[in-house]
Amino acid sequence: MAEAMVGLKRTHRCTEVSLADAGQTVTVMGWVQTRRNLGSLIFVDLRDRSGIIQLVFDENSVGKEGFEKAYTLRNEFVIAVVGTVQKRSGAVNENLKTGEIEVVATQLRILSESETPPFPIEENINTKEELRLKYRCLDLRRPDIQSNIIMRSKVATLTRAFLANEGFLEIETPMLTKSTPEGARDYLVPSRVHPGKFYALPQSPQLFKQMLMCSGYDRYMQIARCFRDEDLRADRQPEFTQIDMELSFVDVDDVIDVNERLLAYLFKEVLGVTVSLPIQRMTWQEAMDRFGSDKPDLRFGMELKDITELVKNCGFGVFTQAVENGGSVRGINAKGQGAMPRKKIDALVDFAKGYGAKGLAYIAIQDDGTVKSSFSKFMTEEEMKAIIGALDGGNGDLLLFAADRNKIVWSVLGALRVELAEQMGLLDKNDYKFLWVTEFPQFEWSDEEERFVAMHHPFTMPMDEDLDKLESDPGSVRAKAYDIVLNGTEIGGGSVRIHQADVQQRMFKALGLSPEVANEKFGFLLDAFKYGVPPHAGLAYGLDRLVMLMAKRDSIRDVIAFPKVKDASCLLTNAPDVVDEKQLSELSIDIIQGN
Ligand code: ASP
């Protein structure tokens, strides 16, 4: 029977009670984790968001009726208990913060009962994720998920406090807006009062934060929800959260400075981890050449080595053809993996094919120095020696090579490097390696659209020394864009923005946007720029990913209270769902069946 709370006031959360309170009367409230009957005594572990405390019911203290009530308690009942704190009569539980004490109940109220939950409310259970997400309300009670959500709240609070102290103002920007320039598909919201017209949910606050700079707010921040309707990969959510910011009268170094101090502050306060500043910086070109990735994981080496020069005249057609086609041949050395069974090497070849490789060449150096290789028969002994030497190959090493266009070679070896590190147990989640990647290319070529597209977005400023190549050689223009990378994950990115109308026009032209189209899409920003715009720059973090790494989890779903699954649906609410005919007709919408 559910009772009311009348006359009761909670005095402590469960783990706020300690030995110092011995002899005191406390009132605690929470969920029954377990109940054990030992004849004349009943023990209950009570749980709230702070943790667990042991309650003891004996008839002498709680009375006959209370004792009988305690007998009916089952997991997940919500109860309130008044009792006296005492040193545990039984053994101390080292695993619990409250392991030295117990509360001897003098009053028990059952505030609500519970059916048997579909899975146990415990840390690290093996329950299928679908079931967990369907009953997310219960899943969120589990201590490990709860500590992630609590950590997320801490990160948000500390971020606000730190940035406020640095002179940032928190300003909200609209959710119902026009398409923003991040390049993904928009989520659209039909307008009832403007039949046939749609709002877009923001992909980021980009245009608004730039306008706030025009309006003189100088430093803006927001913990902003963003929406991108992309085909979902494992680690994406259709809606996600950014720590977004923009600053006036600054250049690259100023943005980097405030952000690395923010990161150091968060890691110290939340995890007790010292981030040594300044954080290492690397240009995009160097990151690609050395690690095959614009978000290199620096927790391990296994760097790419370019052997194009060594093999361009060898007898192995796969290598020479790649070079003739303007590509390159590069390799990595998986130290100590030379004895890898053939089957596992074949699996790596398949893995590489997933990244666009036609194949993968290898040299497996056995412990006794003999060499097994997929291409040695095409090589002279000297050539083989030179290649092994270039990769610093020793006995017991496995050397893997990709030969193709640079883009493919980088993506294959970059991914392989991480895959091997994973297999070799080199990825320590307690080791935090930060990196700024700078000087990104301004444009990337889109085969699909047959034109250059902005690598970051169309408002990103080219590097001063590359400005004159905007028309003559756009492919070589570098941008004042930067990403902050942690352990191989991009946790944030941003750029210095263009604030001169003429440069912006040249940029639109390079992107193949006519003045009319540019005006229609971004006219309101360009107009704002006509009336005095300060030089400005900004950055946005993916809060979900940042907290995921801080919480040492593998999935962002574990740090989002109510996440969606891969097909963008919510298993808890069943969204998206059909709506009434009436709602549709109010919106002037007809559903075309079979689409
Ligand atoms: N709006 C950008 C993004 O979402 C970040 C920035 O340039 O500040 O990636």
Side-chain angles (χ1 to χ4, degrees):
M1 202 246 324
E3 299 171 89
M5 259 193 44
V6 182
L8 282 187
K9 195 163 171 49
R10 181 170 69 172
T11 59
H12 296 74
R13 289 213 174 78
C14 290
T15 64
E16 286 165 4
V17 184
S18 73
L19 203 48
D21 301 309
Q24 303 287 321
T25 300
V26 296
T27 304
V28 287
M29 301 181 189
W31 285 258
V32 172
Q33 179 74 29
T34 55
R35 188 207 59 186
R36 298 183 301 284
N37 295 340
L38 300 180
S40 60
L41 291 179
I42 296 170
F43 287 93
V44 166
D45 277 351
L46 184 73
R47 187 191 72 239
D48 67 13
R49 76 169 200 215
S50 74
I52 281 179
I53 191 165
Q54 176 166 290
L55 310 174
V56 192
F57 296 87
D58 86 38
E59 202 172 322
N60 294 333
S61 308
V62 79
K64 190 165 184 301
E65 198 191 322
F67 191 73
E68 275 166 13
K69 224 195 282 175
Y71 204 78
T72 67
L73 293 179
R74 292 179 25 214
N75 286 7
E76 302 311 312
F77 275 32
V78 180
I79 61 172
V81 165
V82 182
T84 316
V85 182
Q86 70 173 28
K87 193 164 186 311
R88 269 199 198 195
S89 37
V92 165
N93 183 344
E94 306 278 354
N95 299 325
L96 283 187
K97 198 171 161 203
T98 55
E100 285 183 307
I101 51 160
E102 58 196 9
V103 172
V104 182
T106 52
Q107 243 194 79
L108 164 66
R109 280 198 211 169
I110 297 176
L111 302 176
S112 72
E113 299 182 350
S114 168
E115 294 180 14
T116 306
F119 48 78
I121 309 300
E122 289 165 6
E123 215 155 289
N124 300 322
I125 44 159
N126 292 321
T127 308
K128 274 222 172 78
E129 199 181 18
E130 286 96 278
L131 192 66
R132 286 179 37 208
L133 290 178
K134 179 154 188 255
Y135 295 96
R136 185 61 163 177
C137 169
L138 296 177
D139 193 41
L140 284 167
R141 282 185 196 169
R142 298 195 302 113
D144 48 345
I145 295 288
Q146 234 171 41
S147 74
N148 297 343
I149 301 295
I150 291 170
M151 181 185 286
R152 183 185 178 111
S153 165
K154 241 184 177 172
V155 169
T157 307
L158 292 169
T159 299
R160 286 195 168 97
F162 179 91
L163 291 177
N165 196 40
E166 295 282 330
F168 286 78
L169 300 171
E170 183 168 1
I171 304 174
E172 287 162 89
T173 53
M175 287 282 116
L176 296 176
T177 181
K178 235 171 112 111
S179 202
T180 43
E182 314 294 345
R185 208 176 283 120
D186 287 318
Y187 275 99
L188 298 176
V189 180
S191 161
R192 181 179 55 82
V193 278
H194 302 280
K197 292 197 170 166
F198 296 83
Y199 301 97
L201 298 179
Q203 294 185 28
S204 84
Q206 184 64 36
L207 300 177
F208 292 101
K209 66 176 177 173
Q210 291 194 238
M211 281 188 291
L212 287 169
M213 296 304 101
C214 286
S215 306
Y217 287 87
D218 198 90
R219 287 184 170 206
Y220 139 96
M221 69 81 59
Q222 183 180 196
I223 299 191
R225 195 65 63 86
C226 305
F227 304 84
R228 298 185 190 177
D229 185 6
E230 292 174 296
D231 292 327
L232 298 173
R233 282 187 265 134
D235 205 20
R236 286 268 169 94
Q237 286 282 311
E239 54 178 309
F240 59 97
T241 307
Q242 287 187 341
I243 300 172
D244 191 39
M245 68 180 76
E246 196 76 9
L247 303 80
S248 289
F249 307 111
V250 293
D251 212 329
V252 177
D253 285 346
D254 305 286
V255 179
I256 285 185
D257 168 63
V258 73
N259 277 286
E260 49 189 37
R261 286 187 295 109
L262 168 64
L263 286 168
Y265 175 73
L266 291 177
F267 274 70
K268 188 85 215 161
E269 293 294 315
V270 178
L271 300 174
V273 167
T274 304
V275 179
S276 59
L277 300 185
I279 288 171
Q280 187 182 344
R281 296 190 201 182
M282 194 180 284
T283 64
W284 178 89
Q285 190 64 54
E286 183 180 347
M288 299 310 286
D289 282 338
R290 287 176 57 192
F291 301 97
S293 166
D294 58 4
K295 38 180 183 295
D297 193 329
L298 298 187
R299 284 175 295 177
F300 61 98
M302 223 192 292
E303 294 190 19
L304 276 59
K305 292 278 150 41
D306 190 339
I307 58 162
T308 310
E309 281 303 310
L310 280 181
V311 300
K312 66 179 183 203
N313 298 317
C314 74
F316 186 32
V318 172
F319 285 178
T320 50
Q321 258 161 40
V323 182
E324 275 161 31
N325 293 338
S328 60
V329 185
R330 298 170 204 242
I332 52 175
N333 181 349
K335 285 261 165 221
Q337 298 298 302
M340 187 182 279
R342 185 58 204 266
K343 247 192 164 159
K344 258 182 108 181
I345 298 182
D346 287 345
L348 290 179
V349 176
D350 284 341
F351 177 86
K353 284 182 180 162
Y355 287 83
K358 289 191 253 338
L360 203 58
Y362 68 87
I363 301 176
I365 312 171
Q366 306 304 295
D367 285 337
D368 63 5
T370 53
V371 159
K372 292 184 191 168
S373 167
S374 59
F375 59 91
S376 52
K377 56 175 179 267
F378 303 107
M379 297 282 172
T380 65
E381 213 165 294
E382 285 69 48
E383 283 170 334
M384 284 301 274
K385 265 202 187 124
I387 295 173
I388 292 172
L391 271 86
D392 198 19
N395 289 1
D397 290 350
L398 175 67
L399 317 181
L400 296 158
F401 302 89
D404 215 308
R405 283 188 293 148
N406 280 342
K407 212 174 156 181
I408 292 180
V409 171
W410 281 328
S411 94
V412 168
L413 294 182
L416 210 52
R417 185 182 162 264
V418 176
E419 170 66 21
L420 282 161
E422 176 94 56
Q423 290 184 13
M424 290 159 71
L426 302 179
L427 305 178
D428 177 1
K429 282 199 169 73
N430 292 305
D431 185 13
Y432 292 103
K433 285 281 189 302
F434 287 92
L435 172 73
W436 287 106
V437 177
T438 60
E439 300 182 17
F440 272 75
Q442 184 82 37
F443 304 104
E444 61 187 334
W445 181 256
S446 161
D447 285 335
E448 201 179 308
E449 296 184 46
E450 292 187 343
R451 65 173 181 98
F452 280 113
V453 293
M455 195 145 180
H456 190 49
H457 50 59
F459 306 103
T460 297
M461 178 80 105
M463 286 183 59
D464 302 315
E465 52 272 53
D466 291 351
L467 257 178
D468 57 355
K469 292 189 283 192
L470 217 43
E471 289 79 15
S472 56
D473 187 8
S476 75
V477 174
R478 292 161 303 163
K480 287 193 182 185
Y482 33 77
D483 274 0
I484 176 75
V485 175
L486 172 56
N487 292 355
T489 299
E490 176 211 327
I491 55 168
S495 60
V496 175
R497 325 298 184 189
I498 298 169
H499 72 284
Q500 306 95 325
D502 59 325
V503 179
Q504 189 64 67
Q505 266 156 19
R506 289 168 62 196
M507 186 60 62
F508 285 145
K509 203 157 171 220
L511 290 167
L513 285 182
S514 69
E516 294 74 40
V517 173
N519 206 44
E520 194 211 301
K521 281 181 121 169
F522 312 120
F524 55 99
L525 181 72
L526 303 177
D527 278 347
F529 277 18
K530 285 181 193 156
Y531 300 100
V533 50
H536 56 288
L539 178 137
Y541 295 91
L543 176 65
D544 311 291
R545 284 197 221 166
L546 175 63
V547 177
M548 175 187 87
L549 294 175
M550 293 178 88
K552 304 181 182 55
R553 307 298 295 209
D554 293 317
S555 162
I556 54 173
R557 293 185 296 280
D558 284 345
V559 300
I560 298 173
F562 299 104
K564 298 198 171 45
V565 290
K566 226 173 162 186
D567 69 356
S569 63
C570 169
L571 300 182
L572 177 71
T573 61
N574 271 333
D577 210 346
V578 289
V579 294
D580 290 346
E581 272 304 320
K582 182 164 174 282
Q583 281 176 292
L584 286 177
S585 76
E586 277 175 353
L587 294 167
S588 318
I589 287 183
D590 240 349
I591 303 293
I592 305 169
Q593 295 299 338
N595 232 0

